[in-house]
Amino acid sequence: MVGINEIIRPKIKEIPYNHLGVTAINSANKLTHKCTWICHNNTKYCKANHVKFLKSHFYITDKLYFGVINLLGSTGNYGLANIVFLVVLIPISIWYFLSQSLNMYIKIKKIKNK
């Protein structure tokens, strides 16, 4: 993912978004044809301009989306919690349970072949 982002970076024409000394790849411009940091900072704008298929399901997705944001914010350090849970713990958990599932599948297959 990092490699793809860095390949795309030179093709982006807008001025990059800068927050607390960190420069992002995307801008914060309000663009109707693609998501930018304005979507992160203003969910209503994103929902109005970019969401196509989930409009009839906002009553479900909003609870999940804002619930996760509020949960991460309640830790006292939203940025760190975001990285720990969404970038590290959840992907590692998915990898672990997938590998356990494959191991069980292999064991079941061996037992069936005996």
Side-chain angles (χ1 to χ4, degrees):
M1 189 180 306
V2 172
I4 291 170
N5 282 342
E6 293 307 318
I7 290 170
I8 297 299
R9 185 186 297 266
K11 297 177 184 175
I12 296 174
K13 304 294 184 221
E14 299 93 22
I15 297 170
Y17 177 64
N18 192 313
H19 181 68
L20 300 174
V22 177
T23 302
I25 291 177
N26 292 334
S27 73
N29 297 341
K30 288 185 176 182
L31 303 175
T32 56
H33 65 283
K34 71 177 182 177
C35 285
T36 64
W37 275 95
I38 197 68
C39 293
H40 177 272
N41 299 333
N42 183 349
T43 304
K44 287 181 183 179
Y45 178 82
C46 188
K47 287 168 62 175
N49 290 285
H50 304 128
V51 177
K52 307 268 187 283
F53 301 110
L54 289 178
K55 285 187 184 209
S56 61
H57 302 289
F58 282 156
Y59 68 97
I60 297 170
T61 59
D62 280 358
K63 289 177 188 174
L64 179 62
Y65 177 75
F66 291 110
V68 168
I69 289 173
N70 290 334
L71 180 67
L72 295 173
S74 70
T75 64
N77 190 337
Y78 175 83
L80 180 62
N82 195 331
I83 292 168
V84 168
F85 289 106
L86 300 179
V87 176
V88 177
L89 291 180
I90 290 177
I92 286 174
S93 298
I94 291 169
W95 177 84
Y96 172 77
F97 289 119
L98 179 63
S99 67
Q100 290 302 308
S101 175
L102 292 173
N103 286 338
M104 279 191 238
Y105 171 77
I106 291 168
K107 287 178 185 178
I108 291 169
K109 196 169 180 177
K110 285 180 181 178
I111 291 170
K112 282 184 177 182
N113 288 339
K114 285 187 177 181

